[in-house]
Amino acid sequence: MRMFNVAYQCNRLLRKTTAPVSITTPAIMKPWIVRTLCTSFEHPEMKELFEYLENLKNYEKLGVPRNAGTDSDDGFDLGRMRRLMERLGNPQSMYKVVHVAGTKGKGSTAAFLSSILREEGYSVGCYTSPHIRTIRERMSLGRGCEPVSANDLCSLFQRIKKTLEQAVEFEHGHLSHFEVITAIAFTLFAEHNVDVAVVEAGLGGARDATNIICSSGLAASVITTIGKDHLAALGGSLEGIALAKSGVIKHGCPVVLGGPFLPHIEQIIRDKAYSMCSPVISASDSGNRSSMKGIGRVNGKPCQSCDIVIQIEKDISLSVELSDVNLLMLGCHQLQNATTATCAALCLRNQGWRISDRSIRTGLEHTQLLGRSQFLTPNEAKPLGLSGSMILLDGAHTQESAKALVNTIHMAFPEARLALVVAMAIDKDHLGFAKEFLSAGQRPEAVCLTEVDVAGDRVRTTSASMLRNCWIKASKEAGVDIIHDGMAEYQFLIEDLSVRSASTILVAERSLTASLRIADQILEARRGEQSGIIIHVIPQKIRWMVYAGSGPLPQSLVA
C-alpha cells in the first residue's frame, strides 16, 4: 500500500500547526528531531576522530552477525581486543571496574550506580552505549556526570592514533568501531586516574569487547535481565543468552542479579557463578522489599516515590532501608534498576568501599538519562510545536520494554488518551511490540508509523509500510478495530478529525516531524477534556520517545 503522503493528503491536517522544527532550535532539542549519529552534532574538533571511526566496521549500523556474541567459534574474537589493549599498555588494569550486562536495564543501572559513587566523592568513569547526540556521551568522567569534553577526547585520540592504526593493520582491518571506542574509553579513564569505572557491556558478555577485565580488576559483575533481544546473535534461545551474559562473571568476584528471572534461566547464571566461586547477590531476593507509593513532582518534574529495603543474608550479608526515595526515572522497571544498583553499591560497601546510605539515596534521586524516562519542561518541549505541555522521552524497543512502558503510562496517566509515533529497527519484534500496545486497556487513538536512521544509516531501518502491515496483523490477532488507508472510512476520518470513532487510526508517514504533527492533531481532536499523551517510539540506536500530555498531573496521582 502507498504511504500516507503529507504533501497531498495531510494539507488540511497540518495547516494549523506551527512551522516544522529545524536544526536551529535549542541544542537540547536537536537530537530528538533528526538522526543522531551525524557530524552536524559533533564538535568541530571531533571531525577527524569521527571520520576515523566511520571507516571502521560498525555493527550498530550493519547489524550483528549470527552467534557473534556467543562463546563459540562464531563469536567475536576477544583476542584482537586484548592485543589492542596490550599495545595501549593495558589501561583497564589501572582501576577497579563494575561490569554491567543484561538485556534491558543495564544503561539505567550503570547510571544509578555511577551517580551513587559520585555522591560519595569517588572519581568515576562511566562507559555506556549507544549515544543520543554525540559519541562523547558514552564516556563520563570524574565527580560530575557530564560527557567527556571534545578537547580531552580529541587530544587522547591524537596521542594514540598511530597505535590504533598499527593495530588495525595488524588485525587486517577487522577491529570494529565498538572495539576502538571501548579502547579509547578505557585509556581515557586511566589517564584521568578514576577510582572506579562502571562499564556497560555492548552485546551479551562473554565475547563483548568490554569483557577483557581480569578478576583482580573486577569489583563486581551485574546482570540486570535476560530477554530475547539480539536472539540470533546470542545463540538463538534464552538459555544461550543467559550463557553469553554470564560470561562477565569472573573467578571469586561477586555477581549482582537484577531480575526477576525465569527459574531455569537464573539457575544457569547461578551455576556459572558457582563454577567461578563467585558469591551471588540477588536484587529479587525474598528479603528485599521495593515498592512504589505514588507519583509526585520534584522541581516541576514528575517523580515516583518509592521505598527500597534490602535484607540479604545468603552468600554476603547486605542491608539498607530507604524510605520515600524520589526517582525521576519512572516505572516499575526503573525501580528494579535502582534496587539492582543499590545492591551493587552495598556489595562494594561490603568490600570496604566508603558508601553511606545518604549517598545511595541522593545518587538514586539525582539520576537522569537522555531518552530514558526523561521528562521535559514545557519550555523544552515548545520547539516541537505540539499542543500538549508535558513531554517524556524513553526508548522501549522490545516486547518486554513495551509492556513496561504500557504499565508506566497506566500508573502515571490512567485516564489519558494516547497517540503513538513508532519507528523501529529491522531486527526487532515488531508484531510483539504492537500487540502490547493494542491489547492494553489504554489503546491508542492513533498510531503513526514512520522511519528514522539507525546508527546514522538506513541499513537497519524498517519501512513505514512494513510496520503498517505488522500493526494490521497484530490488530487482527488481538481482535482490535483499527482504521487504515486501505479502508473507505479512513479518508473520511482524516479529513474531518472531529468525527468520533472508537477505532484506532493507523497512519504510515515516512517523515518523523510530520508524523508527530499528525499524531498531535488526531489526539487534539479526540481527547476532549482528558489529558493527552503522544508516545514516540524510536529504535534503540536512536533511543528516544516522546509523550506529550496536556495540563498538570491529575491530583489523584500526586503523592
Side-chain angles (χ1 to χ4, degrees):
M1 299 300 270
R2 58 180 172 74
M3 290 288 184
F4 185 83
N5 189 308
V6 65
Y8 175 71
Q9 293 180 306
C10 292
N11 184 57
R12 183 180 292 103
L13 181 63
L14 300 175
R15 67 173 182 259
K16 295 183 180 179
T17 62
T18 57
V21 179
S22 70
I23 60 171
T24 60
T25 55
I28 192 171
M29 295 306 301
K30 291 178 184 176
W32 306 329
I33 307 304
V34 297
R35 67 183 183 144
T36 59
L37 298 185
C38 58
T39 55
S40 59
F41 297 121
E42 294 290 1
H43 193 281
E45 289 183 64
M46 298 283 292
K47 186 173 185 293
E48 185 178 355
L49 171 59
F50 187 87
E51 290 178 349
Y52 180 85
L53 293 172
E54 282 295 285
N55 287 323
L56 301 174
K57 183 169 287 189
N58 187 345
Y59 292 108
E60 293 176 18
K61 181 184 295 185
L62 302 174
V64 183
R66 182 175 293 274
N67 293 326
T70 61
D71 195 12
S72 68
D73 291 341
D74 296 325
F76 287 130
D77 179 12
L78 268 185
R80 64 173 177 253
M81 188 64 188
R82 292 192 180 99
R83 290 188 291 271
L84 171 59
M85 298 313 295
E86 286 173 6
R87 287 176 181 271
L88 293 168
N90 284 318
Q92 77 281 2
S93 65
M94 299 178 186
Y95 43 80
K96 287 291 186 178
V97 175
V98 178
H99 200 186
V100 186
T103 301
K104 297 295 296 178
K106 56 185 181 292
S108 297
T109 300
F112 278 126
L113 180 58
S114 296
S115 182
I116 290 169
L117 293 168
R118 285 178 175 128
E119 284 296 328
E120 190 60 51
Y122 291 106
S123 176
V124 182
C126 184
Y127 178 60
T128 60
S129 60
H131 61 271
I132 300 287
R133 294 175 295 193
T134 165
I135 201 167
R136 295 186 292 112
E137 292 167 14
R138 300 189 182 211
M139 301 160 236
S140 60
L141 282 167
R143 291 181 172 84
C145 59
E146 294 301 312
V148 59
S149 71
N151 181 67
D152 282 347
L153 191 55
C154 292
S155 176
L156 171 61
F157 172 65
Q158 291 300 330
R159 292 196 302 277
I160 67 173
K161 182 180 177 183
K162 185 174 181 180
T163 301
L164 293 176
E165 290 173 339
Q166 291 171 345
V168 170
E169 183 179 0
F170 181 81
E171 303 294 346
H172 306 290
H174 291 152
L175 275 171
S176 71
H177 182 277
F178 185 74
E179 287 167 337
V180 170
I181 294 174
T182 301
I184 290 173
F186 286 170
T187 305
L188 184 77
F189 296 160
E191 289 202 350
H192 283 260
N193 297 312
V194 301
D195 299 313
V196 59
V198 180
V199 175
E200 176 190 358
L203 175 78
R207 293 297 183 93
D208 188 71
T210 62
N211 198 31
I212 54 168
I213 301 116
C214 62
S215 58
S216 61
L218 187 68
S221 299
V222 180
I223 300 176
T224 56
T225 60
I226 300 295
K228 292 182 179 179
D229 202 20
H230 300 296
L231 193 64
L234 294 174
S237 67
L238 279 179
E239 293 79 7
I241 292 174
L243 281 171
K245 295 186 184 298
S246 66
V248 299
I249 300 172
K250 299 294 189 298
H251 191 272
C253 300
V255 55
V256 177
L257 304 184
F261 302 95
L262 294 172
H264 74 288
I265 294 300
E266 180 168 344
Q267 193 58 52
I268 289 172
I269 301 172
R270 286 184 176 273
D271 287 346
K272 177 62 181 288
Y274 180 79
S275 72
M276 302 295 284
C277 301
S278 297
V280 177
I281 299 99
S282 174
S284 301
D285 190 277
S286 58
N288 299 340
R289 300 187 309 278
S290 298
S291 60
M292 201 176 304
K293 301 168 72 173
I295 302 293
R297 283 181 181 270
V298 171
N299 297 325
K301 292 191 176 185
C303 68
Q304 58 187 19
S305 178
C306 309
D307 290 342
I308 298 177
V309 179
I310 306 296
Q311 190 66 51
I312 297 174
E313 299 296 337
K314 189 177 180 181
D315 284 10
I316 298 177
S317 179
L318 305 175
S319 66
V320 72
E321 186 168 340
L322 304 171
S323 299
D324 301 316
V325 180
N326 293 317
L327 299 180
L328 293 171
M329 310 249 287
L330 298 190
C332 295
H333 59 299
Q334 292 295 1
L335 174 56
Q336 181 65 17
N337 293 334
T339 302
T340 303
T342 299
C343 286
L346 294 174
C347 180
L348 297 181
R349 186 160 76 181
N350 179 264
Q351 296 176 33
W353 293 60
R354 182 190 69 255
I355 302 175
S356 68
D357 290 1
R358 183 205 62 80
S359 292
I360 296 175
R361 171 190 293 278
T362 307
L364 295 176
E365 292 185 335
H366 287 178
T367 302
Q368 298 183 75
L369 275 179
L370 285 175
R372 276 170 267 189
S373 299
Q374 179 193 355
F375 278 94
L376 305 183
T377 65
N379 284 339
E380 290 170 334
K382 197 172 182 180
L384 283 171
L386 305 180
S387 61
S389 60
M390 187 179 295
I391 304 288
L392 173 62
L393 308 179
D394 196 69
H397 62 277
T398 67
Q399 185 169 1
E400 292 84 358
S401 55
K403 183 176 182 179
L405 175 60
V406 167
N407 291 339
T408 300
I409 295 169
H410 182 70
M411 173 197 72
F413 305 98
E415 303 299 326
R417 290 187 177 271
L418 313 178
L420 276 69
V421 179
V422 181
M424 297 185 76
I426 194 69
D427 51 358
K428 303 304 175 185
D429 182 8
H430 311 133
L431 188 64
F433 190 96
K435 285 180 180 179
E436 286 297 332
F437 279 98
L438 291 176
S439 61
Q442 287 175 280
R443 286 201 296 271
E445 301 293 322
V447 178
C448 295
L449 304 166
T450 189
E451 301 173 9
V452 294
D453 290 1
V454 178
D457 204 285
R458 289 267 161 172
V459 175
R460 293 179 61 207
T461 298
T462 306
S463 70
S465 58
M466 181 181 293
L467 286 174
R468 169 193 175 279
N469 293 338
C470 285
W471 280 76
I472 291 173
K473 182 178 180 182
S475 70
K476 291 177 179 177
E477 293 183 6
V480 175
D481 291 332
I482 63 169
I483 297 173
H484 55 83
D485 58 359
M487 303 170 70
E489 57 263 52
Y490 173 82
Q491 188 64 37
F492 175 71
L493 284 174
I494 287 295
E495 291 182 352
D496 188 354
L497 293 175
S498 64
V499 176
R500 291 302 182 104
S501 171
S503 301
T504 297
I505 300 176
L506 192 68
V507 177
E509 164 54 57
R510 294 182 66 184
S511 166
L512 172 56
T513 303
S515 294
L516 286 168
R517 308 278 192 224
I518 293 167
D520 185 49
Q521 288 289 316
I522 294 173
L523 195 59
E524 179 71 13
R526 282 186 160 203
R527 73 185 181 209
E529 297 299 317
Q530 293 174 284
S531 61
I533 299 176
I534 294 177
I535 306 169
H536 188 180
V537 185
I538 227 70
Q540 181 186 23
K541 302 308 176 188
I542 304 295
R543 209 173 331 225
W544 65 270
M545 170 189 307
V546 176
Y547 21 136
S550 67
L553 281 171
Q555 286 299 311
S556 61
L557 293 175
V558 178

